[in-house]
């Protein structure tokens, strides 16, 4: 599979679900995408951000995330554990590679604290993919230690 094919598919999914503003479209009498189409487009944004980060285009990775309000507690990604952890991991890694160390520390510490709270309450054991979350947590802890030693 070629990277350009994957990128094109993700871009098409994003455009199909997100580009049509659901509320504006319904007010104007236009067709709105179904909930499934909207969700595919929404989560395609995270796939695109991850792909750009893995390809080494860190600015593009963060630019793809522009429609997402990462500070809001009401965003849909909070409901999907692996999406939540991968978002902050790849966002933090992109900041790290762009030498925006304080932003990277904020990204990593946010999700590390989230995983720690889940682990303490025992909820992490009941989450699908919780073992993968622990692996990402270990990676983020190591990167956070590096970041803390690099920043004054």
């Amino acid at each position: 599979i070629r990277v350009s094919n994957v990128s094109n598919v993700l871009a098409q999914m994003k455009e199909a679900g997100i580009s049509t503003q659901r509320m504006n479209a319904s007010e104007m009498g236009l067709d709105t995408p179904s909930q499934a189409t909207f969700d595919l487009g929404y989560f395609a944004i995270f796939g695109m951000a991850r792909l750009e980060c893995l390809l080494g285009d860190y600015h593009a990775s963060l630019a793809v995330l522009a429609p997402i309000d990462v500070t809001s507690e009401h965003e849909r990604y909070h409901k999907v554990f692996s999406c939540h952890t991968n978002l902050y991991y790849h966002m933090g890694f992109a900041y790290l590679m762009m030498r925006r160390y304080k932003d990277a520390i904020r990204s990593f510490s946010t999700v590390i604290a989230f995983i720690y709270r889940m682990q303490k309450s025992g909820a992490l054991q009941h989450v699908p993919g919780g073992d993968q979350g622990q692996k990402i947590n270990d990676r983020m802890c190591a990167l956070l230690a590096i970041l803390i030693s690099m920043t004054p």
Side-chain angles (χ1 to χ4, degrees):
I1 296 177
R2 299 179 67 194
V3 173
S4 61
N5 293 346
V6 173
S7 180
N8 288 337
V9 168
L10 287 171
Q12 289 172 356
M13 288 171 54
K14 176 187 169 195
E15 290 300 316
I18 298 291
S19 69
T20 307
Q21 296 295 330
R22 291 175 64 133
M23 295 164 96
N24 293 341
S26 63
E27 289 171 3
M28 297 186 310
L30 301 174
D31 291 336
T32 59
S34 67
Q35 185 65 39
T37 304
F38 180 79
D39 287 344
L40 280 172
Y42 182 82
F43 289 107
I45 291 174
F46 300 105
M48 289 176 69
R50 181 179 184 201
L51 178 65
E52 295 292 349
C53 189
L54 292 173
L55 292 174
D57 192 354
Y58 305 111
H59 292 282
S61 177
L62 294 175
V64 167
L65 293 172
I68 307 297
D69 182 12
V70 295
T71 61
S72 173
E73 293 285 327
H74 304 291
E75 285 287 339
R76 298 173 83 74
Y77 71 85
H78 283 285
K79 296 179 182 176
V80 181
F81 176 74
S82 61
C83 183
H84 188 183
T85 55
N86 279 309
L87 165 68
Y88 280 96
Y89 173 75
H90 288 98
M91 191 169 66
F93 192 80
Y95 283 137
L96 169 66
M97 298 307 289
M98 292 169 45
R99 296 182 181 175
R100 292 175 57 181
Y101 300 132
K102 292 186 188 227
D103 291 328
I105 288 171
R106 187 174 30 246
S107 294
F108 288 143
S109 61
T110 299
V111 76
I112 288 171
F114 171 73
I115 292 173
Y116 181 73
R117 284 191 303 270
M118 287 187 73
Q119 193 175 27
K120 279 298 204 187
S121 68
L124 190 61
Q125 296 172 352
H126 304 293
V127 173
D131 55 338
Q132 291 292 26
Q134 187 60 44
K135 290 177 185 178
I136 287 178
N137 189 40
D138 293 342
R139 273 189 261 153
M140 284 188 287
C141 286
L143 288 171
L144 184 61
I146 292 168
L147 282 166
I148 290 172
S149 68
M150 290 174 60
T151 54

